[in-house]
Amino acid sequence: MNTKKVILATISLFVLAIGFAQDEEDQGSVIQTLTPSKLIGKGQFDIKWFNNLYTQTESTFSEGDEPRQTFFTSTLEGYTGIGNNKRWNVGAILEFRSNVVGDRDALDVFKFDGESTTARSGLTSIAPSVKFVPFEKINNFSVQSSFFIPLVDNESENGVFLDQNGFIWQNRFFYDYTFPGNKFQVFGELNSELNFGKEEDSFANNSLRLTPGVFFSYFPSSKFTILALAQHSELIDLGNDFDQNFTALGGGAKYQLTKQLNIEALYTNFVDGRNTGLGETFNIGLRAVF
């Protein structure tokens, strides 16, 4: 696939270029000290724009290649700190999606042409969100709780899926540990999503999704990290007669562009699953903390 080669080559060049950056003797950058487990202080702002492109030609529903399907999700998150002890952040999450099916090229998700039988796009959900540190003495353990409100009328139209048409209560539990020497760091996450609403409105309603993940990072310098990741997701049926799971492996890199802004690039491959696609994801994100 030419698209895959181009994106992989771009990520590879990015990693090689910044891998030779000089190691600066400082107190650490945002990517090293302000992990998702850590909260910002009062008056600060944390804004993240993350883009995920998932594409597949295989699934567990059939054998061999299938017509390509591609799903693009762009997520914008914004938080600000409240209180004086860095234990509470409040904010909101917006999600925009663009999907194409019918063996269209993966990059056609960026055409936003709305072709009736092969493409759909639009703002699909909004979520008020709060982050908090439940234990004062454990500031590297935090919880993010968000309530997603769907903005789509129909999950699928003319055979094209856009997004879930149901409410989601999401709780994400974060923990990180930095090894002595500040060169290695492990980050763990457990994402739980309770899907609810009328059964006929969404395939996922009346279900619980649990997604644990582990990320292992190495810091050649305080401004640059390379990482490996493993995730597993289970959609547990709570009355909708549908369950699902998948396992994904991958890796990537992050670089601190300025004191306030950093960039990340990730790749994952769905290596196994049940009732799911077996595709791959290409991800790029920007985060600003000021």
Side-chain angles (χ1 to χ4, degrees):
M1 171 189 164
N2 290 334
T3 301
K4 175 182 176 181
K5 292 179 180 178
V6 170
I7 297 177
L8 282 176
T10 302
I11 293 175
S12 298
L13 289 173
F14 170 77
V15 171
L16 287 173
I18 61 181
F20 292 105
Q22 290 185 340
D23 189 356
E24 297 184 11
E25 298 296 330
D26 56 21
Q27 299 302 311
S29 65
V30 167
I31 61 171
Q32 192 172 37
T33 63
L34 195 58
T35 68
S37 307
K38 309 291 198 312
L39 271 62
I40 55 174
K42 183 178 181 179
Q44 286 187 293
F45 293 91
D46 186 351
I47 299 173
K48 184 175 183 179
W49 180 37
F50 190 77
N51 300 280
N52 170 286
L53 188 149
Y54 170 85
T55 187
Q56 70 174 55
T57 57
E58 296 180 78
S59 77
T60 60
F61 298 104
S62 64
E63 296 183 1
D65 288 347
E66 303 173 351
R68 181 173 298 282
Q69 301 180 65
T70 303
F71 306 94
F72 172 73
T73 304
S74 185
T75 304
L76 182 64
E77 300 183 52
Y79 292 91
T80 187
I82 59 174
N84 297 316
N85 51 11
K86 294 186 178 181
R87 292 188 63 186
W88 288 92
N89 291 176
V90 295
I93 303 171
L94 295 173
E95 284 192 344
F96 175 89
R97 295 179 186 262
S98 177
N99 304 337
V100 296
V101 299
D103 211 28
R104 293 185 59 173
D105 187 82
L107 295 183
D108 280 0
V109 292
F110 301 115
K111 290 184 176 180
F112 310 112
D113 54 28
E115 204 285 326
S116 62
T117 59
T118 63
R120 290 181 69 192
S121 61
L123 185 66
T124 61
S125 65
I126 184 172
S129 184
V130 60
K131 293 182 179 181
F132 61 94
V133 175
F135 307 110
E136 184 176 3
K137 294 183 179 180
I138 310 177
N139 67 355
N140 56 341
F141 172 71
S142 64
V143 181
Q144 176 180 317
S145 186
S146 312
F147 188 78
F148 285 84
I149 302 167
L151 302 178
V152 295
D153 294 325
N154 301 303
E155 284 193 344
S156 296
E157 293 181 0
N158 297 320
V160 186
F161 175 83
L162 182 58
D163 197 4
Q164 291 179 219
N165 181 19
F167 295 93
I168 302 172
W169 183 28
Q170 180 191 73
N171 289 282
R172 301 172 69 183
F173 302 86
F174 303 123
Y175 177 80
D176 73 80
Y177 175 76
T178 301
F179 293 88
N182 295 326
K183 289 294 185 181
F184 296 95
Q185 186 179 81
V186 63
F187 168 74
E189 173 187 355
L190 174 61
N191 181 14
S192 69
E193 296 180 356
L194 180 63
N195 305 281
F196 56 95
K198 296 180 180 179
E199 290 185 18
E200 60 270 20
D201 288 341
S202 174
F203 77 96
N205 282 348
N206 297 320
S207 66
L208 173 66
R209 183 180 294 279
L210 297 175
T211 307
V214 178
F215 302 74
F216 185 78
S217 299
Y218 167 63
F219 291 87
S221 78
S222 65
K223 292 186 176 182
F224 172 57
T225 182
I226 53 177
L227 60 92
L229 66 94
Q231 288 181 310
H232 180 78
S233 183
E234 286 279 347
L235 184 67
I236 302 168
D237 171 31
L238 299 179
N240 204 21
D241 297 323
F242 180 79
D243 58 27
Q244 179 188 62
N245 68 43
F246 63 80
T247 300
L249 303 175
K254 294 183 181 181
Y255 183 66
Q256 193 74 35
L257 295 169
T258 69
K259 185 177 180 180
Q260 294 80 22
L261 182 67
N262 66 71
I263 187 171
E264 64 179 303
L266 301 171
Y267 168 82
T268 64
N269 190 285
F270 285 54
V271 296
D272 193 21
R274 182 180 71 252
N275 293 330
T276 186
L278 296 175
E280 54 196 339
T281 71
F282 302 89
N283 313 272
I284 190 164
L286 289 170
R287 183 188 183 196
V289 180
F290 53 93

